[in-house]
Amino acid sequence: VENILDFTSCFLYSVETQHTIGYGGRATTEQCPVAVIVMSVQSIVGVVIQACMAGIVFAKFTKPTGRAETLMFSKNALISLRNGSFYLLVRLADIRPTHLIGCHVSGHFLNKE
Protein backbone atom coordinates (compact mmCIF):
# COMPACT_ATOMS: atom_id res chain seq x y z
CA VAL A 1 0.00 0.00 0.00
CA GLU A 2 1.46 3.33 -1.04
CA ASN A 3 1.35 6.67 0.80
CA ILE A 4 0.53 5.19 4.20
CA LEU A 5 2.66 7.19 6.60
CA ASP A 6 0.82 7.68 9.89
CA PHE A 7 -2.51 7.04 11.62
CA THR A 8 -4.35 9.70 9.60
CA SER A 9 -3.31 8.23 6.26
CA CYS A 10 -4.27 4.74 7.55
CA PHE A 11 -7.66 6.13 8.61
CA LEU A 12 -8.23 7.74 5.20
CA TYR A 13 -7.28 4.48 3.49
CA SER A 14 -9.73 2.62 5.73
CA VAL A 15 -12.59 5.05 4.96
CA GLU A 16 -11.87 4.83 1.23
CA THR A 17 -11.86 1.04 1.39
CA GLN A 18 -14.97 0.69 3.54
CA HIS A 19 -17.08 3.07 1.48
CA THR A 20 -15.54 2.17 -1.89
CA ILE A 21 -14.68 5.80 -2.56
CA GLY A 22 -11.81 4.83 -4.84
CA TYR A 23 -8.06 4.65 -5.18
CA GLY A 24 -7.44 6.60 -8.39
CA GLY A 25 -5.68 9.42 -6.64
CA ARG A 26 -6.32 10.51 -3.13
CA ALA A 27 -7.72 14.04 -3.09
CA THR A 28 -8.08 14.14 0.69
CA THR A 29 -4.68 13.92 2.34
CA GLU A 30 -3.53 13.87 5.92
CA GLN A 31 -2.36 17.48 5.62
CA CYS A 32 -5.96 18.78 5.71
CA PRO A 33 -7.68 17.73 8.95
CA VAL A 34 -10.91 19.56 8.08
CA ALA A 35 -11.26 17.50 4.90
CA VAL A 36 -10.67 14.29 6.90
CA ILE A 37 -13.45 15.25 9.33
CA VAL A 38 -15.85 16.26 6.56
CA MET A 39 -15.21 13.04 4.63
CA SER A 40 -15.71 10.97 7.79
CA VAL A 41 -18.96 12.71 8.69
CA GLN A 42 -20.18 12.43 5.11
CA SER A 43 -19.44 8.70 5.10
CA ILE A 44 -21.23 8.14 8.42
CA VAL A 45 -24.28 10.13 7.35
CA GLY A 46 -24.33 8.22 4.06
CA VAL A 47 -24.33 4.89 5.87
CA VAL A 48 -27.16 6.02 8.17
CA ILE A 49 -29.25 7.21 5.21
CA GLN A 50 -28.66 3.95 3.34
CA ALA A 51 -29.67 1.95 6.42
CA CYS A 52 -32.87 3.97 6.81
CA MET A 53 -33.75 3.57 3.14
CA ALA A 54 -33.10 -0.16 3.27
CA GLY A 55 -35.35 -0.40 6.33
CA ILE A 56 -38.13 1.54 4.61
CA VAL A 57 -37.92 -0.62 1.48
CA PHE A 58 -37.86 -3.79 3.58
CA ALA A 59 -40.88 -2.65 5.60
CA LYS A 60 -42.84 -1.87 2.44
CA PHE A 61 -42.05 -5.21 0.79
CA THR A 62 -42.80 -7.31 3.87
CA LYS A 63 -46.32 -6.04 4.44
CA PRO A 64 -48.45 -8.94 5.57
CA THR A 65 -50.78 -10.36 3.00
CA GLY A 66 -53.63 -12.74 3.60
CA ARG A 67 -54.89 -11.07 6.78
CA ALA A 68 -58.41 -12.30 6.00
CA GLU A 69 -57.46 -15.82 7.12
CA THR A 70 -56.28 -14.63 10.53
CA LEU A 71 -59.22 -12.41 11.45
CA MET A 72 -62.22 -14.19 12.96
CA PHE A 73 -65.68 -12.77 13.60
CA SER A 74 -68.10 -14.05 16.21
CA LYS A 75 -71.08 -16.09 15.06
CA ASN A 76 -73.48 -13.99 17.12
CA ALA A 77 -74.14 -10.27 17.05
CA LEU A 78 -75.81 -8.04 19.62
CA ILE A 79 -77.95 -4.95 19.21
CA SER A 80 -77.52 -2.75 22.24
CA LEU A 81 -79.05 0.54 23.39
CA ARG A 82 -76.33 2.92 24.59
CA ASN A 83 -76.82 6.61 25.28
CA GLY A 84 -80.15 6.60 23.46
CA SER A 85 -78.76 5.04 20.24
CA PHE A 86 -78.77 1.50 18.96
CA TYR A 87 -75.39 -0.15 18.32
CA LEU A 88 -74.59 -3.38 16.51
CA LEU A 89 -71.85 -5.20 18.44
CA VAL A 90 -69.72 -8.03 17.06
CA ARG A 91 -66.52 -9.60 18.33
CA LEU A 92 -63.42 -9.62 16.21
CA ALA A 93 -60.34 -11.73 16.99
CA ASP A 94 -56.82 -11.54 15.58
CA ILE A 95 -55.19 -14.98 15.84
CA ARG A 96 -51.75 -13.98 14.59
CA PRO A 97 -48.95 -13.56 17.12
CA THR A 98 -48.15 -10.13 15.62
CA HIS A 99 -51.25 -8.05 16.17
CA LEU A 100 -52.64 -5.23 14.10
CA ILE A 101 -51.73 -1.72 15.19
CA GLY A 102 -54.05 1.18 14.46
CA CYS A 103 -56.79 -0.93 12.95
CA HIS A 104 -59.89 0.80 11.56
CA VAL A 105 -63.09 -1.18 11.04
CA SER A 106 -66.13 0.04 9.16
CA GLY A 107 -69.40 -1.60 8.38
CA HIS A 108 -72.44 -1.09 6.18
CA PHE A 109 -76.00 -1.63 7.35
CA LEU A 110 -78.86 -2.21 4.90
CA ASN A 111 -82.35 -1.71 6.21
CA LYS A 112 -85.38 -3.06 4.36
CA GLU A 113 -88.44 -0.85 4.84
Side-chain angles (χ1 to χ4, degrees), residues 6-108:
D6 56 356
F7 177 77
T8 308
S9 59
C10 289
F11 179 74
L12 285 171
Y13 178 73
S14 171
V15 170
E16 289 176 358
T17 303
Q18 183 177 10
H19 296 282
T20 61
I21 294 173
Y23 301 106
R26 191 180 305 162
T28 305
T29 63
E30 57 272 359
Q31 283 116 23
C32 186
V34 176
V36 173
I37 293 171
V38 169
M39 190 171 85
S40 300
V41 170
Q42 179 185 5
S43 297
I44 291 169
V45 170
V47 167
V48 170
I49 290 172
Q50 285 178 351
C52 291
M53 293 304 291
I56 290 169
V57 169
F58 180 75
K60 290 295 180 185
F61 282 131
T62 59
K63 289 177 103 174
T65 57
R67 280 304 274 191
E69 291 86 23
T70 62
L71 295 175
M72 297 177 57
F73 290 90
S74 62
K75 293 182 182 178
N76 301 321
L78 174 68
I79 297 176
S80 174
L81 181 64
R82 291 187 180 179
N83 300 329
S85 298
F86 287 106
Y87 289 89
L88 177 66
L89 305 174
V90 294
R91 287 191 178 183
L92 177 67
D94 183 12
I95 59 174
R96 271 196 182 176
T98 56
H99 298 293
L100 293 171
I101 298 174
C103 179
H104 300 282
V105 178
S106 63
H108 300 280

